[in-house]
Amino acid sequence: MILTGKEIKARLGTDIVIEPYHEKYLNPNSYNLCLHNELMVYEEIVLDMARPNRLGKYVIPEEGMVLYPGQLYLGRTVERTETHNLVPLLEGRSSIGRLGISVHATAGVGDIGFCGYWTLEITVAQPVRIYAGVAICQIIYNTPIGEIVEYNSDKYQNNKGIQPSLLFKELDPAESRQMRLSFGEEASQ
């Protein structure tokens, strides 16, 4: 079940923390989160999931910044959130989507117990000028069924800003990820 806006407000300071909180961003069944003025862009031509990738950092100027198709921009929310006993979901706002802006590639589901800023995986369908501080996405809260185990990870929990992929922390560098091929070995046996 999805929490209503009034229920979100009622749970502030207990199951839900949104800092800063502004009443104007409360919706009937969600809360709008705003775009921070920092963006990151990968500087590698080919990204490698088994290691950290170089990043460039940008600040969105007051006059805005044009984003272009074919580029992944990592942004973050202005708001720091904390969620307990609920499943947070992040979705783009329809007004943002109608400009061809996507705010997440696949990472819209948060974990129970997540505390921090939301990293946005921003892509655009055509060139579009964006501005810092705009309400870019919305957080929705769902009630889980079953035993609750809170998120506890050294990758993204209690982050201080934009988080690039830290998938490499899960991978064992000694483990071969290459599929072995047997070119003619069967024939010689």
Side-chain angles (χ1 to χ4, degrees):
M1 295 185 297
I2 294 174
L3 268 56
T4 65
K6 288 183 178 184
E7 186 64 16
I8 292 170
K9 184 176 177 179
R11 292 189 185 208
L12 285 173
T14 58
D15 293 342
I16 298 171
V17 174
I18 301 171
E19 298 170 338
Y21 173 86
H22 298 287
E23 188 77 20
K24 68 181 179 178
Y25 294 131
L26 187 63
N27 300 314
N29 59 328
S30 65
Y31 182 87
N32 290 343
L33 300 176
C34 299
L35 179 64
H36 195 272
N37 70 346
E38 298 173 341
L39 291 177
M40 294 174 108
V41 176
Y42 287 108
E43 293 180 335
E44 309 285 352
I45 293 172
V46 175
L47 298 178
D48 186 342
M49 65 171 45
R51 66 174 184 80
N53 293 280
R54 289 177 302 144
L55 292 151
K57 295 182 181 182
Y58 300 90
V59 174
I60 302 169
E62 192 172 309
E63 65 273 11
M65 179 177 173
V66 177
L67 303 187
Y68 295 94
Q71 178 67 59
L72 173 65
Y73 300 89
L74 297 178
R76 77 165 174 95
T77 59
V78 168
E79 298 82 1
R80 179 189 170 280
T81 69
E82 207 172 297
T83 307
H84 304 282
N85 305 311
L86 298 164
V87 178
L89 300 175
L90 197 71
E91 286 296 336
R93 296 181 55 225
S94 62
S95 296
I96 299 298
R98 291 172 190 172
L99 290 169
I101 302 169
S102 296
V103 297
H104 67 77
T106 61
V109 178
D111 287 305
I112 299 169
F114 172 74
C115 303
Y117 298 94
W118 289 79
T119 294
L120 307 173
E121 303 99 14
I122 302 169
T123 56
V124 297
Q126 68 184 65
V128 61
R129 184 175 300 275
I130 63 162
Y131 301 88
V134 69
I136 194 165
C137 59
Q138 56 193 332
I139 190 167
I140 301 158
Y141 296 96
N142 288 292
T143 54
I145 297 172
E147 180 184 348
I148 292 176
V149 176
E150 289 209 344
Y151 177 73
N152 185 16
S153 169
D154 67 338
K155 289 192 318 185
Y156 305 117
Q157 185 73 312
N158 296 309
N159 65 59
K160 303 293 183 216
I162 300 170
Q163 298 290 292
S165 176
L166 300 177
L167 180 65
F168 64 89
K169 289 185 171 189
E170 297 175 24
L171 302 175
D172 180 356
E175 182 181 306
S176 173
R177 287 175 285 285
Q178 197 67 275
M179 188 171 105
R180 296 187 53 84
L181 299 176
S182 61
F183 296 104
E185 289 177 17
E186 295 89 20
S188 65
Q189 293 180 3

